[in-house]
Amino acid sequence: MRLLKPFHILSILSFIVCLISCNKKSKSQEYIAYFGGEVTNPTSPYILFCRNNEVIDSIKIKKDNTFFIKFDSLAPGLYTFKSEPEYQSVYFDKNDSIMVRINDKEFDESIVFCGRGDEKNNFLMELFLRNERDKSKMFDVFDLPIPKFIPNIDSSFNSNKKFYQLKRNQIKWSPEFDEVAQAAVNFHHYSKKELYPFIHKMRTGVDIWKVLPQHFYDYRREINFNNDHLSDFAPYVNYLSYMLNNVGTINYHNHFTDVDLALRTNINKLKIADTLIKNGKIKNLILNNIAFAYLMEDQNMLNNQKFLDTYHKYSTDKSKKNEINIIGNAIQLLKPGNTIPTLNLIDSNGKKITSSDLFQNKTVVYFWTSKANSHLIAVHKKIDEQRIKYPDYTFIGINIIDNQSKWYECLTVNNLDKKFEYRCENFDDLKTKWAITKVHRTIVLNKQGVIKNAFTNLFNIDFDSNLN
């Protein structure tokens, strides 16, 4: 772990005041809490402090790059702090006074907590980074047959459990936090098991559902699908989405066309989610995740509308900010034969360029980020092969999240051809115009930016059919 550099004097003094005030609290001050810190290379003028996807407060970053806020009453539990577009979790027990140091150029890797409540949050952060490193190795692991896959994931699971047990004994945290700590360990492991049959089939063409061990998913019996304490915790919410993707799959493939099967399967997932999950916040999050996954893959506009009609039947999220509606509108603009909407991009010299200036010939557009390192490597290896096979196509890589310096560093370290690499200026525009929410999308264009297929995947076995 990196050593924490000294905070500015103002931050230190503020922190000392916090600790003193915590020790002299009255009955009415039982839930006073403090949050502050320092942001190096800030990419946003504010730190957003959130819970359940709602902004509780916008904390202005001062000229000396510090920020600080006192909460007169803060309920214990999980929160999120954001320095757009990055975010991370923080857990508050009663009367915690937490300071955090962030470098926006290396957001997750740079985060260090100090103050009252720091040890448990540094544990969560270290476990998060362990899991991220594990994810970066998983791309090829999903190709493994069952006898090799299970020992591989069990090894990393056992390592994380030992790390958790060591820190629990050292820190002696509260039972409430222990629920979060165990969730961080368990749901990372469970998610790999839920994803395995899907990714294995996508990458190898082999359907292994019927030959999975009998007790492969026994852990599901112990899961609380309505755990309000974890409704803002990504490992838990992501797991529920992966699990529903599994149990909602319809396997009698021969009875329907592929597009009709996709519609029936995803409507089935919505129905199961509505039956299984009664907590409104969690249900809406899961319904949104199911909808995102479906709408990103299916291009049948009639089926999209049927799906959305069912989604709106079960979802209670009627806000104008509902991203499913935004994505649905974007998809309408991405039909084959349409000209792809113009997006602002940035080249390796920091110069702005419009996408329409790039798409003058047959083009394949793919996406990547430094946060998915194994995908970064695999996608560029695949692109090198495609360039040889299809010299009449231009292959354009677009980085979807990283800031300019991090992106340029990745280009240099990985020896990527800067002539064909760009960074999206605004990720929200990418979502609303091209309906991009993940790196595993590929867009194929005919001449002059006309869409041939906006919803394909470079790693699909039949991807080449889009280029012939």
mmCIF file of all heavy atoms in Angstrom, residues 219-234:
data_model
loop_
_atom_site.group_PDB
_atom_site.id
_atom_site.type_symbol
_atom_site.label_atom_id
_atom_site.label_comp_id
_atom_site.label_asym_id
_atom_site.label_seq_id
_atom_site.Cartn_x
_atom_site.Cartn_y
_atom_site.Cartn_z
ATOM 1 N N TYR A 219 -24.940 -22.247 -2.861
ATOM 2 C CA TYR A 219 -24.839 -21.035 -2.042
ATOM 3 C C TYR A 219 -26.048 -20.116 -2.197
ATOM 4 O O TYR A 219 -26.328 -19.276 -1.332
ATOM 5 C CB TYR A 219 -23.559 -20.263 -2.396
ATOM 6 C CG TYR A 219 -23.487 -19.870 -3.858
ATOM 7 C CD1 TYR A 219 -24.124 -18.721 -4.330
ATOM 8 C CD2 TYR A 219 -22.788 -20.648 -4.775
ATOM 9 C CE1 TYR A 219 -24.078 -18.368 -5.657
ATOM 10 C CE2 TYR A 219 -22.730 -20.298 -6.108
ATOM 11 C CZ TYR A 219 -23.374 -19.168 -6.554
ATOM 12 O OH TYR A 219 -23.337 -18.822 -7.879
ATOM 13 N N ARG A 220 -26.792 -20.268 -3.278
ATOM 14 C CA ARG A 220 -27.955 -19.403 -3.509
ATOM 15 C C ARG A 220 -28.983 -19.510 -2.381
ATOM 16 O O ARG A 220 -29.712 -18.555 -2.109
ATOM 17 C CB ARG A 220 -28.629 -19.768 -4.829
ATOM 18 C CG ARG A 220 -27.844 -19.402 -6.091
ATOM 19 C CD ARG A 220 -28.585 -19.919 -7.310
ATOM 20 N NE ARG A 220 -27.912 -19.632 -8.566
ATOM 21 C CZ ARG A 220 -28.246 -20.193 -9.728
ATOM 22 N NH1 ARG A 220 -29.245 -21.070 -9.761
ATOM 23 N NH2 ARG A 220 -27.587 -19.887 -10.827
ATOM 24 N N ARG A 221 -29.041 -20.693 -1.750
ATOM 25 C CA ARG A 221 -30.046 -20.917 -0.699
ATOM 26 C C ARG A 221 -29.823 -19.995 0.497
ATOM 27 O O ARG A 221 -30.750 -19.753 1.276
ATOM 28 C CB ARG A 221 -29.986 -22.371 -0.236
ATOM 29 C CG ARG A 221 -30.248 -23.388 -1.337
ATOM 30 C CD ARG A 221 -29.955 -24.794 -0.850
ATOM 31 N NE ARG A 221 -30.065 -25.779 -1.918
ATOM 32 C CZ ARG A 221 -29.663 -27.045 -1.825
ATOM 33 N NH1 ARG A 221 -29.129 -27.465 -0.673
ATOM 34 N NH2 ARG A 221 -29.796 -27.875 -2.838
ATOM 35 N N GLU A 222 -28.619 -19.505 0.679
ATOM 36 C CA GLU A 222 -28.283 -18.693 1.854
ATOM 37 C C GLU A 222 -28.373 -17.196 1.586
ATOM 38 O O GLU A 222 -28.136 -16.396 2.485
ATOM 39 C CB GLU A 222 -26.857 -19.034 2.314
ATOM 40 C CG GLU A 222 -26.590 -20.515 2.529
ATOM 41 C CD GLU A 222 -27.503 -21.118 3.580
ATOM 42 O OE1 GLU A 222 -27.788 -20.418 4.571
ATOM 43 O OE2 GLU A 222 -27.927 -22.283 3.406
ATOM 44 N N ILE A 223 -28.704 -16.796 0.373
ATOM 45 C CA ILE A 223 -28.651 -15.377 0.010
ATOM 46 C C ILE A 223 -29.966 -14.671 0.303
ATOM 47 O O ILE A 223 -31.045 -15.164 -0.026
ATOM 48 C CB ILE A 223 -28.275 -15.224 -1.483
ATOM 49 C CG1 ILE A 223 -26.845 -15.708 -1.712
ATOM 50 C CG2 ILE A 223 -28.409 -13.768 -1.938
ATOM 51 C CD1 ILE A 223 -26.438 -15.756 -3.155
ATOM 52 N N ASN A 224 -29.864 -13.508 0.928
ATOM 53 C CA ASN A 224 -31.014 -12.636 1.158
ATOM 54 C C ASN A 224 -31.142 -11.714 -0.050
ATOM 55 O O ASN A 224 -30.310 -10.840 -0.268
ATOM 56 C CB ASN A 224 -30.805 -11.824 2.437
ATOM 57 C CG ASN A 224 -31.932 -10.833 2.689
ATOM 58 O OD1 ASN A 224 -32.914 -10.768 1.936
ATOM 59 N ND2 ASN A 224 -31.795 -10.034 3.742
ATOM 60 N N PHE A 225 -32.186 -11.902 -0.846
ATOM 61 C CA PHE A 225 -32.357 -11.124 -2.064
ATOM 62 C C PHE A 225 -32.981 -9.752 -1.815
ATOM 63 O O PHE A 225 -33.229 -9.005 -2.761
ATOM 64 C CB PHE A 225 -33.205 -11.904 -3.065
ATOM 65 C CG PHE A 225 -32.589 -13.208 -3.477
ATOM 66 C CD1 PHE A 225 -33.158 -14.408 -3.100
ATOM 67 C CD2 PHE A 225 -31.420 -13.230 -4.221
ATOM 68 C CE1 PHE A 225 -32.579 -15.615 -3.458
ATOM 69 C CE2 PHE A 225 -30.833 -14.433 -4.599
ATOM 70 C CZ PHE A 225 -31.412 -15.626 -4.217
ATOM 71 N N ASN A 226 -33.242 -9.428 -0.551
ATOM 72 C CA ASN A 226 -33.858 -8.145 -0.209
ATOM 73 C C ASN A 226 -33.064 -7.422 0.872
ATOM 74 O O ASN A 226 -33.630 -6.763 1.739
ATOM 75 C CB ASN A 226 -35.295 -8.366 0.257
ATOM 76 C CG ASN A 226 -36.188 -8.920 -0.829
ATOM 77 O OD1 ASN A 226 -36.662 -8.174 -1.686
ATOM 78 N ND2 ASN A 226 -36.419 -10.232 -0.825
ATOM 79 N N ASN A 227 -31.750 -7.532 0.825
ATOM 80 C CA ASN A 227 -30.895 -6.975 1.871
ATOM 81 C C ASN A 227 -30.731 -5.467 1.664
ATOM 82 O O ASN A 227 -29.908 -5.016 0.862
ATOM 83 C CB ASN A 227 -29.536 -7.670 1.865
ATOM 84 C CG ASN A 227 -28.737 -7.350 3.108
ATOM 85 O OD1 ASN A 227 -28.843 -6.268 3.677
ATOM 86 N ND2 ASN A 227 -27.925 -8.303 3.545
ATOM 87 N N ASP A 228 -31.499 -4.687 2.414
ATOM 88 C CA ASP A 228 -31.479 -3.234 2.254
ATOM 89 C C ASP A 228 -30.120 -2.636 2.610
ATOM 90 O O ASP A 228 -29.728 -1.606 2.065
ATOM 91 C CB ASP A 228 -32.571 -2.605 3.131
ATOM 92 C CG ASP A 228 -32.826 -1.152 2.786
ATOM 93 O OD1 ASP A 228 -33.098 -0.864 1.607
ATOM 94 O OD2 ASP A 228 -32.732 -0.299 3.692
ATOM 95 N N HIS A 229 -29.372 -3.281 3.509
ATOM 96 C CA HIS A 229 -28.063 -2.761 3.911
ATOM 97 C C HIS A 229 -27.047 -2.814 2.771
ATOM 98 O O HIS A 229 -26.057 -2.094 2.784
ATOM 99 C CB HIS A 229 -27.515 -3.565 5.098
ATOM 100 C CG HIS A 229 -28.342 -3.455 6.327
ATOM 101 N ND1 HIS A 229 -28.395 -4.444 7.292
ATOM 102 C CD2 HIS A 229 -29.176 -2.469 6.764
ATOM 103 C CE1 HIS A 229 -29.215 -4.074 8.263
ATOM 104 N NE2 HIS A 229 -29.704 -2.885 7.960
ATOM 105 N N LEU A 230 -27.310 -3.676 1.773
ATOM 106 C CA LEU A 230 -26.372 -3.843 0.664
ATOM 107 C C LEU A 230 -26.906 -3.269 -0.653
ATOM 108 O O LEU A 230 -26.317 -3.479 -1.704
ATOM 109 C CB LEU A 230 -26.047 -5.326 0.470
ATOM 110 C CG LEU A 230 -25.390 -6.044 1.657
ATOM 111 C CD1 LEU A 230 -25.192 -7.522 1.331
ATOM 112 C CD2 LEU A 230 -24.057 -5.405 2.021
ATOM 113 N N SER A 231 -27.999 -2.538 -0.575
ATOM 114 C CA SER A 231 -28.633 -2.053 -1.806
ATOM 115 C C SER A 231 -27.778 -1.043 -2.558
ATOM 116 O O SER A 231 -28.016 -0.778 -3.737
ATOM 117 C CB SER A 231 -30.001 -1.425 -1.489
ATOM 118 O OG SER A 231 -29.847 -0.283 -0.662
ATOM 119 N N ASP A 232 -26.759 -0.499 -1.881
ATOM 120 C CA ASP A 232 -25.871 0.475 -2.532
ATOM 121 C C ASP A 232 -24.477 -0.112 -2.744
ATOM 122 O O ASP A 232 -23.532 0.621 -3.008
ATOM 123 C CB ASP A 232 -25.765 1.747 -1.672
ATOM 124 C CG ASP A 232 -25.395 2.977 -2.493
ATOM 125 O OD1 ASP A 232 -25.717 3.018 -3.691
ATOM 126 O OD2 ASP A 232 -24.785 3.902 -1.930
ATOM 127 N N PHE A 233 -24.365 -1.441 -2.637
ATOM 128 C CA PHE A 233 -23.051 -2.096 -2.717
ATOM 129 C C PHE A 233 -22.941 -2.848 -4.039
ATOM 130 O O PHE A 233 -23.658 -3.821 -4.279
ATOM 131 C CB PHE A 233 -22.892 -3.051 -1.533
ATOM 132 C CG PHE A 233 -21.470 -3.464 -1.271
ATOM 133 C CD1 PHE A 233 -20.422 -2.568 -1.398
ATOM 134 C CD2 PHE A 233 -21.176 -4.765 -0.879
ATOM 135 C CE1 PHE A 233 -19.115 -2.943 -1.132
ATOM 136 C CE2 PHE A 233 -19.879 -5.153 -0.606
ATOM 137 C CZ PHE A 233 -18.841 -4.229 -0.742
ATOM 138 N N ALA A 234 -22.044 -2.403 -4.898
ATOM 139 C CA ALA A 234 -21.950 -2.929 -6.261
ATOM 140 C C ALA A 234 -21.767 -4.443 -6.329
ATOM 141 O O ALA A 234 -22.418 -5.097 -7.162
ATOM 142 C CB ALA A 234 -20.833 -2.217 -7.016
#
